[in-house]
């Protein structure tokens, strides 16, 4: 893979890879290239054992201000139908390791949809979350109507999507879209600390726990419980499960190997 031009990619540190969206001239608007680079990168690190969790962040002014409207303006209906971004979004959705979004500034449209692809969202107190597509005569198209409703409930999701007005970090916190608010200077550090904590755990258990939690979005309770039980049973076949339990009994720290 050639070096990304729209992302700043850190070195994995304590199992955590930090990816910074980097199109400052367009408030990190998600053009095709950026999304392709992000999808390629996630696909590549899926098999990298040094990466156990990923943090995605933007700038102080914008996590991402949406899909790239200039690029969108060039697409007709067939262009939208054949839009390669659909495949990039699918590849981002399929990423199995935990993603933590560290959000500051504008988190709008496709940017909010990208943040909702993260498993945990942590935001600075000045962050603004919104789905303003309606103001452009369109609507969210990268999961916004579905994921937002599941995160914040019907009334808030309807209000955000139908008025196009953003909500504050505090409103996002109150409605369950994010799990923590920080001062803006501390958002990335806090997201990295949470990611580091996750990265210490048994990778297969983390992957299966994420998978089972996401399953709850699209299944009924009884089927979800069966799914969870099967994942739980599968973990009994891992060495890390024995290591975790033995370490507890022997009063020492576990050394998880991801097998
Ligand atoms: N696409 C392309 N360029 C964008 C952009 C976007 N989504 N958002 C901002 N920019 C560009 C601006 O055009 C501007 O570029 P120029 O200096 O070359 O004119 C630069 O970023 C800075 O933006 P502003 O001057 O507008 O900054 P501001 O502080 O005055 O306003 C803002 C910030 C309120 C976020 C405003 O930029 C804005 O409303 N942006 C568009 C937000 C939006 O509608 N997002 C939804 C896009 S559609 C979508 O996402 C579809 C989907 O679900 C897949």
């Amino acid at each position: 893979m050639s070096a990304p031009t729209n992302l700043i990619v850190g070195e994995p540190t304590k199992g955590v890879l930090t990816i910074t969206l980097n199109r400052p001239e367009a408030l990190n608007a998600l053009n095709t290239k950026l999304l392709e680079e992000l999808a390629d990168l996630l696909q590549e690190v899926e098999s990298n054992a040094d990466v156990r969790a990923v943090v995605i962040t933007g700038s102080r002014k914008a996590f991402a201000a949406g899909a790239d409207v200039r690029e969108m303006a060039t697409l007709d209906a067939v262009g939208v139908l054949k839009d390669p971004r659909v495949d990039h979004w699918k590849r981002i959705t399929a990423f199995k390791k935990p993603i933590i979004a560290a959000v500051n500034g504008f988190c709008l449209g496709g940017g909010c949809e990208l943040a909702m692809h993260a498993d945990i969202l942590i935001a600075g107190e000045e962050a603004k979350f919104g789905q303003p597509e309606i103001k452009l005569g369109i609507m969210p198209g990268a999961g916004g109507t579905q994921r937002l409703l599941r995160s914040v409930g019907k009334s808030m999701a309807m209000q955000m999507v139908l008025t196009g007005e953003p909500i504050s970090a505090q409103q996002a916190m109150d409605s369950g879209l994010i799990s923590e608010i920080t001062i803006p200077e501390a958002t990335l550090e806090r997201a990295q600390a949470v990611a580091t904590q996750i990265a210490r755990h048994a990778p297969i258990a983390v992957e299966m726990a994420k998978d089972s939690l996401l399953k709850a979005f699209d299944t009924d309770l009884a089927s979800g419980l069966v799914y969870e039980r099967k994942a739980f049973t599968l973990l009994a076949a891992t060495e890390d499960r024995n290591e975790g339990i033995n370490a507890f009994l022997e009063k020492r720290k576990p050394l998880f190997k991801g097998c």
Side-chain angles (χ1 to χ4, degrees):
M1 199 185 99
S2 54
T5 53
N6 297 286
L7 306 172
I8 299 170
V9 185
E11 283 299 315
T13 307
K14 295 182 182 169
V16 176
L17 181 74
T18 300
I19 303 171
T20 306
L21 311 177
N22 188 35
R23 286 192 73 212
E25 72 284 4
L27 300 183
N28 292 333
L30 307 172
N31 63 4
T32 304
K33 189 76 187 141
L34 186 155
L35 273 183
E36 182 180 19
E37 288 176 352
L38 184 59
D40 285 351
L41 180 64
L42 292 178
Q43 212 166 346
E44 187 185 300
V45 301
E46 190 84 82
S47 58
N48 181 347
D50 292 338
V51 177
R52 293 186 174 190
V54 167
V55 172
I56 300 181
T57 194
S59 67
R60 174 80 182 258
K61 179 153 189 202
F63 177 78
D68 191 302
V69 178
R70 281 195 181 82
E71 196 181 51
M72 262 174 29
T74 65
L75 296 180
D76 59 11
V78 175
V80 173
L81 184 72
K82 306 271 181 201
D83 192 342
R85 281 178 295 187
V86 175
D87 176 61
H88 305 328
W89 281 115
K90 272 192 196 148
R91 292 190 293 134
I92 294 167
T93 308
F95 187 62
K96 294 188 182 124
K97 298 179 186 185
I99 301 178
I100 294 91
V103 177
N104 272 304
F106 297 111
C107 186
L108 303 176
C112 190
E113 290 168 312
L114 176 62
M116 286 190 288
H117 277 70
D119 303 299
I120 299 171
L121 284 76
I122 295 176
E125 58 202 2
E126 291 160 14
K128 293 250 177 272
F129 295 84
Q131 297 288 165
E133 292 90 341
I134 204 82
K135 295 183 179 175
L136 303 175
I138 53 171
M139 59 176 278
T145 60
Q146 303 304 301
R147 290 197 177 86
L148 193 62
L149 186 132
R150 283 163 170 79
S151 279
V152 304
K154 178 183 162 191
S155 184
M156 180 65 96
M158 285 283 185
Q159 189 167 333
M160 288 171 72
V161 171
L162 299 183
T163 68
E165 290 303 318
I167 60 169
S168 66
Q170 188 58 53
Q171 286 172 299
M173 180 77 189
D174 294 344
S175 56
L177 181 59
I178 66 174
S179 53
E180 285 188 35
I181 299 184
T182 66
I183 55 167
E185 296 78 15
T187 314
L188 177 58
E189 200 180 325
R190 178 63 193 142
Q192 287 169 327
V194 171
T196 304
Q197 198 175 358
I198 294 170
R200 280 194 212 111
H201 298 315
I204 301 176
V206 168
E207 180 184 320
M208 293 216 175
K210 166 173 169 165
D211 182 48
S212 289
L213 280 157
L214 290 178
K215 192 77 182 166
F217 271 152
D218 54 24
T219 195
D220 60 280
L221 179 61
S223 311
L225 290 173
V226 171
Y227 194 85
E228 179 197 79
R229 194 68 206 170
K230 285 188 176 158
F232 182 80
T233 305
L234 254 171
L235 288 179
T238 64
E239 286 182 25
D240 279 349
R241 181 254 198 189
N242 295 339
E243 169 64 9
I245 291 176
N246 288 338
F248 174 78
L249 296 175
E250 292 160 14
K251 300 188 187 302
R252 61 175 173 83
K253 283 199 172 154
L255 186 66
F256 293 123
K257 294 184 180 150
C259 54

